[in-house]
Amino acid sequence: MRVLASIGMAAAAAILCTPASAQFAKPEDAIKYRQSALYVMAQQFGRLGAMAQGKAPYDANAAAENAELVQTMSHLPWPAFGPGTDKGRDTRAKPEIWADQAKFKEAQERLMNETSKLMVAAKAGNLDALKPAVQATGAACKNCHDQFRRD
Amino acid sequence: MRVLASIGMAAAAAILCTPASAQFAKPEDAIKYRQSALYVMAQQFGRLGAMAQGKAPYDANAAAENAELVQTMSHLPWPAFGPGTDKGRDTRAKPEIWADQAKFKEAQERLMNETSKLMVAAKAGNLDALKPAVQATGAACKNCHDQFRRD
């Protein structure tokens, strides 16, 4: 059980020391987690952007796979913006996130809604379906960044 | 198209300037990507570890969801260990990764194989099925770290 013991420790500490909803041991872990999830999402989405713009060859399978990943990743960052995670590590998160939770949630939901549509569009298997969905998803990214992320 | 234009640029640069297999604009992007994917995976897996050790209450739905994420994330890091990504950003990746590609690939495949079994086990919906799968997955993590990650 030695392997298990060392692996579970950080997570166990998280769960024992913080509200169940938070699931992070320290604010810096939450910040690192959300930055990581957003970075992976941005990279996958960038590949779709390149196809939509004709800067990379259109590949229906790769598009579907990337869109599915974007959709999955788009759900992960939000629980990591819990109370007290405004500092603890370099972050561009604006105070508005915690000052206007309803507006922040609305921006999250807009993104998750667009990534679901993006996934459907990518699975349709043609570039003409993909393009507007990539544009709408990109607009949802930008909407949130404009309001809640420092330049 | 302004939104699209700015979003796709980094990815487009990646695809035009590097081998298609790489898909990263710069070595530092690849390093950041793999570190991000591994961090998200480790966090999700830690939650399963805590349940398996009885340090967090067992929640069948959360276990299934986490295991599915672990399985998805376990496929992402490897294309980001391409040639030339041994430096460019702080990394604990050992030179052995590039010196013994077959052995590194074997370690990746062991992990992906275990995370697939972990997902099946988590979906069985009982803690007794989850425990050995968590342990086997943890051993696959450790196997790769012991060989290919600096302390």
Side-chain angles (χ1 to χ4, degrees):
Chain A
M1 293 292 284
R2 203 173 301 165
V3 169
L4 253 191
S6 68
I7 292 157
M9 227 144 66
I15 290 160
L16 295 172
C17 305
T18 56
S21 65
Q23 295 189 304
F24 297 98
K26 301 182 296 270
E28 68 181 86
D29 295 348
I31 298 171
K32 187 171 174 183
Y33 177 89
R34 70 202 190 203
Q35 289 172 340
S36 296
L38 289 161
Y39 189 77
V40 170
M41 177 166 64
Q43 286 284 326
Q44 308 297 154
F45 183 61
R47 295 174 194 178
L48 292 170
M51 286 186 208
Q53 288 182 285
K55 296 192 174 170
Y58 173 65
D59 174 332
N61 289 337
E65 200 181 309
N66 274 296
E68 198 161 344
L69 275 168
V70 168
Q71 193 273 339
T72 298
M73 301 308 295
S74 73
H75 287 251
L76 301 188
W78 322 121
F81 285 94
T85 63
D86 55 330
K87 49 182 170 258
R89 182 183 163 91
D90 263 358
T91 171
R92 293 159 75 191
K94 282 187 180 173
E96 282 78 354
I97 288 171
W98 295 275
D100 195 343
Q101 290 269 294
K103 212 171 172 190
F104 185 49
K105 199 169 170 57
E106 196 181 295
Q108 297 164 23
E109 278 166 2
R110 175 171 162 187
L111 177 70
M112 292 186 283
N113 185 34
E114 293 301 347
T115 61
S116 289
K117 290 194 271 177
L118 176 70
M119 191 170 68
V120 172
K123 288 182 177 177
N126 70 80
L127 186 54
D128 287 339
L130 185 64
K131 280 180 183 177
V134 167
Q135 187 155 21
T137 303
C141 296
K142 187 177 183 303
N143 169 60
C144 195
H145 293 165
D146 286 350
Q147 296 180 83
F148 299 112
R149 191 179 71 167
R150 276 190 209 94
D151 285 332
Chain B
M1 292 295 283
R2 202 174 303 166
V3 169
L4 253 191
S6 68
I7 291 157
M9 227 143 67
I15 290 162
L16 294 172
C17 305
T18 56
S21 64
Q23 294 190 306
F24 297 98
K26 300 182 296 269
E28 68 182 85
D29 295 348
I31 298 172
K32 188 172 174 183
Y33 178 88
R34 71 201 190 203
Q35 289 172 342
S36 296
L38 288 161
Y39 189 78
V40 170
M41 177 166 64
Q43 286 283 326
Q44 308 296 155
F45 183 62
R47 294 175 195 177
L48 292 170
M51 286 186 208
Q53 289 182 284
K55 295 190 176 172
Y58 173 65
D59 174 331
N61 289 336
E65 199 182 309
N66 274 297
E68 199 161 343
L69 275 169
V70 168
Q71 194 272 340
T72 297
M73 302 309 295
S74 73
H75 288 251
L76 301 188
W78 322 123
F81 284 94
T85 63
D86 55 329
K87 49 182 170 260
R89 183 183 162 91
D90 263 359
T91 171
R92 293 159 76 191
K94 281 186 181 173
E96 282 79 353
I97 288 171
W98 295 274
D100 194 343
Q101 290 267 295
K103 212 171 172 189
F104 184 49
K105 199 167 170 55
E106 195 182 296
Q108 297 165 23
E109 278 166 3
R110 176 171 162 185
L111 177 71
M112 292 186 283
N113 185 34
E114 294 301 347
T115 60
S116 289
K117 292 194 269 177
L118 176 70
M119 192 170 67
V120 173
K123 287 182 176 176
N126 71 79
L127 187 55
D128 286 339
L130 184 65
K131 281 181 183 176
V134 168
Q135 187 154 21
T137 303
C141 297
K142 188 178 183 302
N143 169 60
C144 196
H145 293 166
D146 286 350
Q147 296 180 83
F148 299 110
R149 190 179 72 167
R150 276 190 211 95
D151 284 334

